[in-house]
Amino acid sequence: MVDRRNFLAAAAAAGTAGAAEDQPVRATPLRADYFGTQYYDEKERAELMEVLETRRPFRWYGSGSKPPMKVLTFEKEFAARMRTKYALAVTSGTAALQAAVAALEIGPGDEVIMPAWTWHSCCSAVVLAGALPVFAEIDESFNIDPGDIEHRITPATKLIMAVHLQGNPADLDRILPIARKRGIRVLEDCAQSVGGSYKGRPLGSLGEIGIYSLQLNKTITAGEGGAVATSDPVLFERAARFHDVGGLRGPHEAAVGKPKLDPFVGCNLRMNEFSGGVLLAQLRKLDLIVGSLRANAKRVYDGVRDLPGIKFRKLPDPAGELGAGVFIEFKTKEVRDLFLAEMRKQNVPAGPPGGSVVLPALPYIENKRTIHPKWPSFTSERGRAIRYGAATCPRTIDILNRFAGPHLDPKFTPRDCADIVAAVRKVYPRVVKA
Ligand SMILES: *Cc1c(COP(=O)(O)O)cnc(C)c1O
């Protein structure tokens, strides 16, 4: 299975033609890169230059006779791609979470259930709204365990955050009914799965509201950026007002028909036209990027599937997954770490689950640290009583300690994927036997 070209190169580099088993699969390290920026070309350049040359960097108005259209066009095409009625462009995924939490009217006294392993912003959006985060364990999909939600629901539970982590859709067939039965709403955090789908439907279109990040590490990017998608006109209006100091501008007013809300206290989370232009070009490449990621993931899965005893991350919808990584389960952290060390020797990148943190284990969350001692999240009886800390999510920590896998890249060639397969086939049987 060792690639002949790489084997010869490695042998030459080592100055000896030793046994193939002792040579790394690749002579030099294979490196996964950021997805979206690898696709930057004349399309992004043209969008960017147009904004520069027309001197219209602000989304709502500017000099010249034509109105700026980049962010607005991005919103229209994003909503069409996600199959929602509305989309709102904002400055980051974190901003998108705050706008969505505001749209859902979440505030002091409300509780929000989210996975213990996710990004800081899920928790901060809830705490900044004055509400209380409640953490549930993840399962072998790395997403919230649907079986660990119900006993955490109280009369104050207003929202479940279904976070589609590391490209893998959460099990919405189990999560949505738990919420709907009780009138609890579902926010889909698609930051790490932009372009993924669940049983044929774009992620973000199945719950009441979806949020996306367009930051460097995500599928498509302008460095920073975010979006909110929903088909509910009132949720859209509230998110749009929150993102623009409480007001609703002409094009958004036209989108919702007749405004239903009065102005209220909000933020400025508006996207600029430079970002809008770049993201428009990137959005038009989203299916190409996701298609390439998925094709590469399939090559790796198909190449190692027959290894005796191999178990992968749980995929609630294998066809909808993004394919950003192929994760393998190990019995202990020690075996997992040995696998990682041996893969590194093969010059084939692999890593543990990443891109998120075990939030309840962070000291600032365990100690309920906010910018003011009377913060409403933690001054209520329930807020004072709730306990966080690593001891509250042992299964999450255990699962994250026992999985690892190769990182994938949409620009990996079939030969690169064959090297990944060769490395796993070489290393996996050795480490599980050791
Ligand atoms: C990245 C990320 C966010 C926040 O997005 P930013 O654009 O970095 O603000 C939110 N949720 C999840 C799950 C993320 O991975």
Side-chain angles (χ1 to χ4, degrees):
M1 284 307 291
V2 173
D3 179 288
R4 188 175 153 75
R5 186 190 56 169
N6 287 319
F7 166 61
L8 292 175
T16 155
E21 277 298 291
D22 301 319
Q23 301 298 330
V25 167
R26 286 181 72 98
T28 54
L30 176 65
R31 282 214 178 82
D33 203 346
Y34 304 106
F35 302 162
T37 47
Q38 293 187 78
Y39 289 79
Y40 279 2
D41 62 15
E42 63 280 2
K43 298 281 194 333
E44 282 82 357
R45 177 190 297 269
E47 296 290 346
L48 210 45
M49 289 312 287
E50 194 187 322
V51 177
L52 201 70
E53 282 160 7
T54 58
R55 301 170 195 278
R56 288 198 301 252
F58 181 56
R59 73 165 295 180
W60 296 126
Y61 49 79
S63 51
S65 51
K66 282 191 289 179
M69 289 297 288
K70 299 301 182 200
V71 178
L72 201 59
T73 309
F74 170 76
E75 288 177 342
K76 285 195 175 133
E77 292 194 16
F78 196 84
R81 172 62 180 74
M82 299 309 165
R83 284 195 249 153
T84 56
K85 286 211 181 93
Y86 314 98
L88 177 74
V90 292
T91 47
S92 69
T94 303
L97 276 164
Q98 289 180 259
V101 163
L104 294 159
E105 294 177 281
I106 285 163
D110 297 331
E111 296 177 21
V112 177
I113 297 176
M114 67 185 73
W117 191 61
T118 182
W119 191 240
H120 300 266
S121 327
C122 294
C123 174
S124 64
V126 170
V127 175
L128 288 173
L132 188 69
V134 174
F135 298 102
E137 299 264 29
I138 62 164
D139 64 17
E140 284 78 8
S141 68
F142 306 172
N143 291 322
I144 194 166
D145 177 358
D148 196 47
I149 294 175
E150 272 183 292
H151 69 105
R152 299 182 191 273
I153 293 174
T154 75
T157 306
K158 209 159 170 187
L159 178 71
I160 296 169
M161 282 190 180
V163 190
H164 307 297
L165 289 152
Q166 272 206 303
N168 194 18
D171 194 344
L172 292 172
D173 276 350
R174 291 180 63 200
I175 297 168
L176 290 174
I178 292 170
R180 301 252 153 96
K181 206 161 58 185
R182 297 173 177 81
I184 296 169
R185 299 209 264 193
V186 172
L187 178 154
E188 287 177 76
D189 179 338
C190 317
Q192 298 179 16
S193 303
V194 180
S197 56
Y198 183 72
K199 307 207 170 160
R201 289 182 58 186
L203 296 181
S205 68
L206 292 105
E208 276 68 31
I209 199 162
I211 75 96
Y212 309 79
S213 168
L214 308 164
Q215 183 264 346
L216 177 65
N217 297 76
K218 319 299 167 105
T219 323
I220 55 171
T221 189
E224 296 276 14
V228 179
T230 182
S231 290
D232 181 322
V234 176
L235 292 185
F236 176 76
E237 184 181 339
R238 206 176 284 114
R241 286 184 181 279
F242 183 80
H243 116 291
D244 200 1
V245 289
L248 195 67
R249 310 269 183 155
H252 284 161
E253 192 173 321
V256 294
K258 215 171 125 53
K260 299 195 173 48
L261 307 170
D262 292 322
F264 57 85
V265 174
C267 296
N268 168 10
L269 311 174
R270 295 181 303 249
M271 181 180 282
N272 70 67
E273 289 282 289
F274 292 110
S275 295
V278 169
L279 287 168
L280 187 55
Q282 286 267 287
L283 178 62
R284 290 170 179 167
K285 297 169 183 170
L286 178 60
D287 290 332
L288 170 68
I289 297 172
V290 173
S292 306
L293 275 171
R294 284 176 175 163
N296 282 343
K298 183 170 170 8
R299 287 185 179 105
V300 175
Y301 273 116
D302 288 351
V304 302
R305 204 183 291 286
D306 64 315
L307 284 172
I310 198 160
K311 261 181 92 183
F312 300 111
R313 168 166 65 157
K314 197 156 90 184
L315 303 175
D317 177 15
E321 197 224 347
L322 212 58
V326 171
F327 288 95
I328 301 165
E329 185 172 7
F330 296 90
K331 286 222 161 61
T332 64
K333 182 176 188 300
E334 288 65 38
V335 181
R336 191 279 306 268
D337 290 345
L338 185 62
F339 172 79
L340 286 174
E342 290 297 318
M343 286 292 282
R344 203 168 306 124
K345 286 187 202 158
Q346 304 307 317
N347 281 325
V348 170
S356 294
V357 271
V358 180
L359 292 177
L362 298 177
Y364 86 86
I365 291 178
E366 181 169 9
N367 298 316
K368 307 178 185 175
R369 228 175 278 140
T370 54
I371 57 168
H372 193 282
K374 288 186 187 157
W375 205 267
S377 304
F378 303 117
T379 48
S380 67
E381 198 181 318
R382 171 96 167 116
R384 286 196 309 272
I386 196 165
R387 288 284 163 265
Y388 304 128
T392 61
C393 52
R395 266 185 54 221
T396 296
I397 292 169
D398 174 58
I399 287 166
L400 296 172
N401 277 338
R402 290 188 301 99
F403 275 85
H407 298 156
L408 298 185
D409 182 302
K411 295 257 185 176
F412 278 174
T413 62
R415 170 154 239 141
D416 295 331
C417 296
D419 286 344
I420 294 172
V421 167
V424 175
R425 295 193 75 89
K426 184 172 166 185
V427 167
Y428 179 83
R430 284 188 190 173
V431 302
V432 297
K433 240 184 275 151

